[in-house]
Amino acid sequence: MTEKPAETAYPLHDLLRRRWSPRAFSSTPIEREKLGSLLEAARWAASSRNLQPWRFLLVEASDAEAFEKLAGTLMDANQAWARKAPLLILVCAQRSPDGGLARHAFHDCGLAVAHLTMQALSMDLWVHQMAGFSAEKARAEFGVPADFEPVSVLAVGYYGNPADLPENRRATETGPRTRKPLGEIAFRGTWGSAAEL
Ligand SMILES: Cc1cc2nc3c(=O)[nH]c(=O)nc-3n(C[C@H](O)[C@H](O)[C@H](O)COP(=O)(O)O)c2cc1C
């Protein structure tokens, strides 16, 4: 397992510190019980007005036809590694009843995915979120109704072997993780004045 813990100025919960987005997945299937826990974690996320706008379409590699359909919506660069994962999940957000995007539906989907991701890691499973897919294709392939919007696709599985990755992906797999400094993302009192933490 490649460990790339966050370098932090302040202590973090171990799961938050250890999480990253791997591309080297093992094709080992995920146990039913663990699948259940992943979805329970997502279900119990907070959401605006408790609308729970998230929907998760699970596609396991063992369901070859459906897997091919969802994998086929991914950008080529994502297909090159994500096809190895035993589970892909299409995340969709519910639109507001007037047909517009509910203001916080995408936010709430992200929150639910964060829950799922942390629960996954607690069970030794890894998640790689992808925006690089065709929402239109996913809608057509899976009959996503008009009042839902495809948001992302998740690759989920146990960690595999980085040596199996396409050559152009191996360096990033083991390379460092970077972040903006706290002073650039956290302000205090007025916009732009770094919160000196
Ligand atoms: C909404 C979202 C979409 C992403 N889309 C892709 C993607 O299409 N392909 C990819 O390889 N990584 C994708 N990523 C992974 C990010 O590149 C990654 O989270 C970021 O570089 C930070 O790295 P870390 O997650 O390892 O800390 C996505 C992440 C998020 C949250």
Side-chain angles (χ1 to χ4, degrees):
M1 175 65 228
T2 309
E3 291 281 350
K4 303 206 284 186
E7 284 177 20
T8 65
Y10 298 94
L12 271 194
H13 189 288
D14 199 47
L15 289 177
L16 295 170
R17 206 173 55 83
R18 289 184 54 228
R19 185 217 62 83
W20 63 284
S21 302
R23 294 189 175 88
F25 283 98
S26 154
S27 54
T28 305
I30 300 170
E31 297 87 335
R32 294 277 119 191
E33 187 78 7
K34 289 190 178 180
L35 267 187
S37 294
L38 291 179
L39 274 298
E40 280 290 11
R43 182 163 80 106
W44 284 96
S47 64
S48 174
R49 293 188 285 150
N50 201 19
L51 286 176
Q52 304 159 66
W54 44 68
R55 296 293 183 275
F56 303 95
L57 199 155
L58 275 61
V59 178
E60 289 174 272
S62 53
D63 182 353
E65 198 181 325
F67 195 85
E68 185 53 43
K69 277 203 244 173
L70 188 50
T73 69
L74 299 173
M75 280 170 29
D76 289 349
N78 285 333
Q79 289 195 36
W81 55 268
R83 279 180 172 278
K84 189 94 191 283
L87 172 66
L88 295 176
I89 302 178
L90 174 65
V91 182
C92 295
Q94 188 165 30
R95 290 175 176 273
S96 56
D98 63 7
L101 265 189
R103 188 167 173 74
H104 290 103
F106 278 6
H107 170 279
D108 296 343
C109 282
L111 192 56
V113 171
H115 271 217
L116 184 153
T117 301
M118 291 305 158
Q119 179 64 35
L121 190 49
S122 77
M123 302 183 302
D124 211 26
L125 288 165
W126 296 83
V127 177
H128 198 127
Q129 305 169 56
M130 289 172 281
F133 78 109
S134 163
E136 298 72 37
K137 231 174 167 178
R139 182 186 295 289
E141 292 283 22
F142 294 98
V144 177
D147 53 335
F148 285 86
E149 187 65 24
V151 177
S152 62
V153 178
L154 317 178
V156 188
Y158 291 101
Y159 196 67
N161 184 356
D164 294 342
L165 282 171
E167 208 174 318
N168 63 343
R169 284 297 188 188
R170 280 179 218 153
T172 42
E173 189 73 359
T174 49
R177 298 174 58 220
T178 58
R179 287 297 188 270
K180 292 173 180 163
L182 276 180
E184 195 178 325
I185 62 161
F187 307 143
R188 195 195 301 276
T190 54
W191 185 264
S193 60
E196 282 164 29
L197 295 163

